[in-house]
Amino acid sequence: MKSNILKFSFALGVTFLVSGCNDEFLERYPLDQITNETFWNSENDLAVYNNSIYNIARNDVAVPIMMGHTEGFNSHFGNIYAQDEFSDNLAPREPRHVRFQQVRAGKHNVPSNPEWFGYQGWNFIRAINVGLENYNRAQIPQAAKDKYAGEAQLFRGWFYAEKVQKFGDVPYVDRSLNIDSEELYAARMPRAEAMKKILDDLNFASTKLPNNWGDGNAPGRLNRWAALLVKARLCLYEGTWNKYHNAGDSKMWLEEAVKAAKELMDKGPYRLYSTGNPENDYNAYHRVLDLTGNPEVIYWRKYKSGVINNHIQSYFNYTGGATKSLVEDYLCTDGLPISLSPLYKGDEQFENIFENRDPRLRQTVLHPADTKKYNYHLGDGRTYPRLLGMPGGGLQTTTGYHIIKHYNADDMIGKAFNTGETPAITLRFAEALLIYAEALAELGTISQGDLDISINKLRDRVKMPHMTLGNIPVDPRYAKDGISPLIAEIRRERRIELFMEGHRYTDLKRWKQGKKLEIPSMGIRWNADAQARFKGTNMKTSIDPVSGKEYIDVFKGTDFENPVFNEAKHYLWPIPLNTLAQNPAIKQNPGWE
């Protein structure tokens, strides 16, 4: 996103002068001011105004749709990676991340004011609606006006859909308001009605935005392909939410998701990044500073010294580390889960977990032998993994599973505070493949050909066996989920491929699998070898009820030791008390009264 984005405040004023020669009123405007009456003329005016909308969207805490990395110290929580801390993928114990821990454990309460990523960001909607009311004033071709209206409507649909996912019914507004507008005191619009309006916005954007802004995939403007991916993502969410929560029509939403994903797959210019190196291709482009021209990345946020920076690389330890649950979801190289594969070597020895496994595991979690490869941590010469409390310093984890997927030592060594340039990938082509396969599987119409152009493309990149209809493994770990083995495997693929890209928590909610958050977060196997290897750690352990073996129990002895997920309330977040005081018609979400 370009850094020289301009913010405009429009002072509306008219100066009426009486001419000494006649009684004609002359309307004049100060030559040194930009006003609403003088501004909306050229295409450049519309582009500059929309730049200000992009600028508001950079506030990831208030507008968590195009997630990137917040600047400065707030990089530690306001980043796309940390979104997985709400889920069973990560296990943070960092005191500054207590909000993630509260939601993860079902210990959050009704806030007085909006929380991180919560019931806020409404100025974003006002900015969008002001633009939509004025674009047509420009004296330019309609197609040019529609490009910028398409950007604005994509933003509006995306923003409201995110609020629907967190709060259900929303205060939907499609015009700019003033202090006495009746909408300020209205009830929230029902979810189904709001989603129809959101779909209208997404449809407009995915037809009116240009295929290419001529920026060479620089981190600038959202194009039509981005709109199609956003549409596919949001339609998949609503379709599966409606299906598993028995909340309404699912078929239409799933079909819309399929159509959008397929159009992107068939007609878009994107493809999976691959150099033919399965041991590196999965995480290679997640660890570079410049993604310009990458064939897989549809939209990304760029950071550049002296313009806009972040400090995200210095906060990897805040995530705690990957969980045992995540690590166990990686298949073995025969395409079977660890519960069924004869190739699985177990976890008695830490290094064994990587043997005969999907190459994405070793490109996500640090193997001790790879510390030099990744210059981990800052080339400090220590042995890894390391657990909290161990003497001798170094980067420590709560689980023993250090995350390497996005790690870039070069963005820290020799750099001062808030001079990092690690980019954030907001939209990438792989997600479209996953959406396409999942939506078709949920509709019950998926074919082997569909798998071959979606899931199996992802597996080809890392040289994993194809998913084959009629030969889908039945993993006992998912036997109680109430879904087919095929859908279970597609969900597994999604979890693995999109780890730490901000999807897991929303996935669990739309699948109505919130009860998985009641499973304690565990780490590495704890046996005699581990006790000697990780001497000095203050992490506690428990017996895993499934295997009967002892593992690190991340939250044991903390306020979050016994997580709960109340299905009557926890699928939605509560409305802040001050919001309800200002407008009682909003009403609190069920279970939070």
Side-chain angles (χ1 to χ4, degrees):
M1 190 172 299
K2 295 183 170 59
S3 60
N4 58 346
I5 291 173
L6 303 178
K7 298 179 181 178
F8 282 88
S9 59
F10 294 97
L12 306 182
V14 176
T15 303
F16 294 94
L17 300 175
V18 179
S19 169
C21 300
N22 56 57
D23 293 330
E24 184 179 12
F25 287 93
L26 301 180
E27 190 177 70
R28 304 221 177 155
Y29 306 97
L31 298 178
D32 62 344
Q33 293 183 16
I34 297 174
T35 70
N36 197 54
E37 285 76 11
T38 64
F39 179 68
W40 309 92
N41 298 306
S42 67
E43 181 170 350
N44 184 66
D45 289 345
L46 305 195
V48 166
Y49 184 79
N50 277 18
N51 285 349
S52 72
I53 299 177
Y54 279 95
N55 195 52
I56 298 173
R58 280 180 44 219
N59 182 351
D60 297 315
V61 179
V63 187
I65 54 174
M66 295 169 51
M67 289 294 297
H69 310 311
T70 305
E71 296 175 72
F73 178 70
N74 285 346
S75 287
H76 78 80
F77 75 92
N79 66 81
I80 190 170
Y81 307 153
Q83 291 296 297
D84 269 18
E85 292 185 37
F86 286 124
S87 78
D88 55 353
N89 275 352
L90 298 173
R93 283 268 299 266
E94 164 59 43
R96 294 187 179 101
H97 281 207
V98 69
R99 171 63 180 166
F100 295 108
Q101 297 166 47
Q102 289 172 335
V103 174
R104 163 74 175 82
K107 302 297 178 68
H108 51 309
N109 297 309
V110 179
S112 295
N113 295 301
E115 298 276 10
W116 297 345
F117 322 113
Y119 203 82
Q120 58 179 310
W122 307 108
N123 61 313
F124 186 58
I125 290 298
R126 175 171 173 76
I128 290 167
N129 288 337
V130 167
L132 290 168
E133 291 168 354
N134 286 282
Y135 295 136
N136 278 330
R137 294 172 54 188
Q139 301 302 306
I140 59 176
Q142 189 62 44
K145 300 175 190 178
D146 287 346
K147 288 191 303 184
Y148 301 99
E151 277 186 309
Q153 289 186 234
L154 175 57
F155 278 132
R156 186 171 65 185
W158 199 350
F159 177 87
Y160 270 121
E162 196 275 338
K163 289 293 182 279
V164 164
Q165 291 171 11
K166 283 202 175 92
F167 299 100
D169 301 344
V170 291
Y172 191 92
V173 175
D174 57 7
R175 69 183 184 95
S176 58
L177 306 182
N178 54 47
I179 59 173
D180 57 358
S181 295
E182 62 181 14
E183 290 93 335
L184 294 174
Y185 307 99
R188 289 185 280 166
M189 181 178 288
R191 178 187 190 124
E193 184 180 347
M195 286 305 301
K196 289 180 181 178
K197 291 180 176 291
I198 289 166
L199 183 58
D200 287 342
D201 274 347
L202 299 176
N203 285 337
F204 184 90
S206 60
T207 55
K208 300 300 184 179
L209 278 168
N211 291 346
N212 192 322
W213 289 90
D215 56 10
N217 198 31
R221 317 194 81 93
L222 292 157
N223 58 29
R224 191 169 77 86
W225 311 113
L228 284 168
L229 181 50
V230 172
K231 177 184 173 181
R233 175 192 292 183
L234 300 179
C235 288
L236 177 69
Y237 188 102
E238 199 64 11
T240 48
W241 172 277
N242 286 351
K243 178 176 179 178
Y244 291 103
H245 292 261
N246 195 26
D249 181 20
S250 62
K251 185 173 183 289
M252 180 275 289
W253 290 103
L254 292 170
E255 288 175 344
E256 288 291 329
V258 170
K259 287 190 294 185
K262 191 63 160 58
E263 184 174 356
L264 171 57
M265 292 161 62
D266 288 347
K267 299 180 180 179
Y270 302 96
R271 57 180 172 80
L272 294 180
Y273 170 85
S274 178
T275 66
N277 184 345
E279 306 303 323
N280 292 288
D281 282 344
Y282 170 67
N283 78 0
Y285 66 98
H286 287 282
R287 299 184 300 100
V288 298
L289 300 185
D290 191 348
L291 290 159
T292 302
N294 185 290
E296 183 169 346
V297 178
I298 298 174
Y299 192 84
W300 60 290
R301 190 180 297 180
K302 184 175 183 177
Y303 297 85
K304 184 175 176 62
S305 292
V307 182
I308 178 174
N309 293 90
N310 61 62
H311 203 57
I312 183 61
Q313 289 289 338
S314 295
Y315 296 121
F316 262 68
N317 60 319
Y318 280 27
T319 67
T323 61
K324 171 178 176 286
S325 167
L326 173 82
V327 170
E328 290 183 344
D329 248 358
Y330 289 80
L331 299 174
C332 290
T333 50
D334 56 5
L336 295 175
I338 62 172
S339 57
L340 301 175
S341 176
L343 299 180
Y344 181 54
K345 291 192 173 183
D347 56 9
E348 293 298 316
Q349 177 72 25
F350 182 83
E351 284 79 1
N352 285 352
I353 67 166
F354 299 93
E355 295 297 314
N356 305 322
R357 302 289 292 281
D358 184 329
R360 285 174 290 190
L361 175 57
R362 191 161 175 170
Q363 295 176 66
T364 300
V365 172
L366 178 68
H367 188 292
D370 292 339
T371 54
K372 289 186 178 180
K373 173 182 177 179
Y374 292 110
N375 205 17
Y376 199 90
H377 172 61
L378 305 180
D380 63 10
R382 296 180 175 89
T383 57
Y384 287 91
R386 300 182 69 77
L387 291 168
L388 284 185
M390 288 178 63
L395 196 63
Q396 299 182 338
T397 68
T398 62
T399 66
Y401 297 122
H402 294 259
I403 298 158
I404 206 68
K405 177 176 175 179
H406 304 96
Y407 183 81
N408 187 337
D410 293 339
D411 200 32
M412 290 180 279
I413 295 175
K415 290 191 173 184
F417 173 77
N418 198 39
T419 57
E421 300 173 278
T422 293
I425 298 175
T426 302
L427 300 167
R428 64 182 179 105
F429 184 65
E431 186 186 350
L433 305 183
L434 291 161
I435 291 170
Y436 178 75
E438 184 181 347
L440 283 173
E442 292 287 1
L443 287 166
T445 60
I446 196 167
S447 68
Q448 185 60 48
D450 294 323
L451 286 176
D452 290 342
I453 63 173
S454 56
I455 298 296
N456 290 333
K457 292 287 187 183
L458 296 169
R459 293 193 173 189
D460 284 344
R461 168 157 59 185
V462 291
K463 297 295 187 290
M464 281 291 289
H466 279 193
M467 186 181 292
T468 305
L469 289 178
N471 191 30
I472 303 295
V474 181
D475 190 343
R477 296 174 71 223
Y478 295 101
K480 297 181 180 180
D481 284 6
I483 56 175
S484 70
L486 172 62
I487 289 177
E489 289 307 307
I490 290 173
R491 290 182 181 182
R492 181 205 306 274
E493 196 76 22
R494 180 177 174 89
R495 184 185 193 184
I496 297 311
E497 181 68 28
L498 298 181
F499 170 69
M500 270 185 85
E501 296 181 44
H503 298 280
R504 178 64 175 175
Y505 177 59
T506 54
D507 285 346
L508 291 175
K509 291 201 302 177
R510 66 186 176 88
W511 295 331
K512 204 177 181 182
Q513 292 291 330
K515 285 294 184 180
K516 288 187 183 295
L517 297 179
E518 291 187 338
I519 301 172
S521 295
M522 290 190 163
I524 60 173
R525 175 79 169 93
W526 196 250
N527 54 22
D529 287 342
Q531 292 176 40
R533 185 172 185 174
F534 304 109
K535 186 176 295 186
T537 181
N538 54 22
M539 295 304 298
K540 299 181 184 300
T541 64
S542 291
I543 300 299
D544 174 25
V546 177
S547 66
K549 297 179 180 180
E550 190 175 6
Y551 290 86
I552 294 290
D553 188 343
V554 174
F555 295 109
K556 188 172 183 178
T558 75
D559 292 341
F560 311 110
E561 179 176 0
N562 299 302
V564 296
F565 191 92
N566 184 342
E567 293 198 313
K569 63 187 268 190
H570 283 146
Y571 283 111
L572 297 178
W573 286 12
I575 305 295
L577 293 174
N578 286 341
T579 298
L580 297 173
Q582 293 166 7
N583 179 14
I586 289 289
K587 295 185 179 179
Q588 186 56 275
N589 275 330
W592 294 102
E593 297 92 341

